[in-house]
Amino acid sequence: MPPMITTHGLNKKYGNRAVVENLDLHVPEGCVYGFLGPNGSGKSTTMKMLLSLVRPTGGEIHVMGRPMRRSTRRELLGRIGSLIETPPGYGHLTGRENMRLVQRLLGLAEEQAMRAVRTVRLQAHLDRRVRDYSLGMKQRLGIAMALAREPRILILDEPTNGLDPAGIDEIRGLLTRLADDGVTVMVSSHLLGEIDRTATVLGILGNGRMLFQGTREQLFARSTPDVLIDTTDPGRALDLTARWGSAPDGTAVRLPGLDDGATAHVVSHLVREHVDIHGVRRDTQSLEDVFMDLTGGQGL
Ligand code: ADP
């Protein structure tokens, strides 16, 4: 299946400062693409370039296999819904009035707007003023406004930012439902955990560069979990393994970044030195741990 969005060598400079550098995005059809990176890493700038809101300094963008050019822009952008600046909508109008505005602006049928409202589960609140909505409801209205035109691709910039756990859960569920319905969702967050379980593909950005792009499984496969050696003499074991960067961990000794061969080498070294070992294990890893490995301990 052709990817819904690809970029080749996408660049953005402000003055001499590169904020997005040689980005090769690959967003497969029907996925939730989690676009992760710390604040200031270039996520918004990238999304705005995809939406033609910011002009790239260099590189190419393809949407649904077609190059984004002046001649194709209008048509391709018509297939993309987005929520970039938040909170969306006019606060003094009701949800229904906001939806009606979008409907008229885009020349849509009322049913299309109402279907979008049902998708985000906002039917019961349509006649309240948007300024009285919770932040989560405002975000859902924004997503409904983006969905009304029935886009193939939905681009959401930090839709979970500032939401309480229930609001975050609601958005996660919504993104998964949309992907199940065949919408390709690209969603950014500066918090690894917020999108982690929802995203099927991850793109991790640091300082405008792609640090990793692929599935969660591929990400985990690139990282080596710490080895924990359980011993009756952790003090001596620690001394004997100092050159491998060992650290104490309760009654165990923790060793980072050892592959299986190096682990065998360390264990036989300890055995030769008559240290009693009663367990050797690999630690379990969170996405944060893996990411720490990837960024050489900088984290997000
Ligand atoms: P993120 O969305 O990951 O937080 P942004 O794309 O908003 O990151 O910003 C990336 C970098 O580009 C930041 O250092 C930001 O200050 C800078 N930047 C964004 N927009 C502009 C602009 N219009 N002019 C100059 N610098 C900008």
Side-chain angles (χ1 to χ4, degrees), residues 44-174:
S44 290
T45 304
T46 302
M47 288 176 148
K48 285 177 185 165
M49 287 194 281
L50 298 178
L51 294 164
S52 296
L53 299 171
V54 162
R55 187 194 292 266
T57 317
E60 287 174 19
I61 299 172
H62 283 73
V63 174
M64 300 189 299
R66 296 177 56 202
M68 183 78 91
R69 298 217 174 95
R70 191 177 296 180
S71 56
T72 57
R73 181 168 298 147
R74 223 180 120 84
E75 187 195 337
L76 294 179
L77 290 178
R79 315 308 300 270
I80 308 178
S82 65
L83 178 58
I84 296 287
E85 308 290 349
T86 56
Y90 294 106
H92 64 287
L93 300 181
T94 64
R96 189 183 304 281
E97 287 163 342
N98 272 287
M99 288 307 295
R100 199 167 289 146
L101 276 180
V102 171
Q103 180 197 324
R104 291 205 183 128
L105 204 66
L106 299 176
L108 307 173
E110 189 178 348
E111 175 50 25
Q112 288 175 294
M114 285 307 116
R115 198 177 308 138
V117 167
R118 285 196 296 276
T119 302
V120 302
R121 300 183 176 161
L122 216 51
Q123 309 89 300
H125 308 286
L126 268 190
D127 293 313
R128 284 169 63 186
R129 279 181 211 274
V130 168
R131 67 170 167 233
D132 298 329
Y133 277 13
S134 68
L135 183 58
M137 286 158 62
K138 284 180 186 160
Q139 293 295 65
R140 275 149 61 204
L141 177 69
I143 295 174
M145 290 162 78
L147 281 177
R149 62 166 75 187
E150 300 176 359
R152 298 278 309 274
I153 304 167
L154 188 63
I155 294 183
L156 307 173
D157 194 9
E158 300 261 1
T160 50
N161 208 6
L163 297 189
D164 59 16
I168 292 170
D169 244 26
E170 177 71 34
I171 298 285
R172 281 189 191 134
L174 171 58

Side-chain angles (χ1 to χ4, degrees), residues 229 236-246 253 255 266 269-270:
I229 299 180
R236 230 177 124 242
L238 203 57
D239 285 346
L240 286 165
T241 53
R243 72 179 122 132
W244 287 284
S246 59
V253 170
L255 289 146
V266 170
H269 176 64
L270 289 173

Side-chain angles (χ1 to χ4, degrees), residues 14 17 19 37-46 157-158 205:
Y14 283 111
R17 192 161 159 252
V19 297
N39 283 325
S41 58
K43 303 181 299 295
S44 290
T45 304
T46 302
D157 194 9
E158 300 261 1
L205 211 57

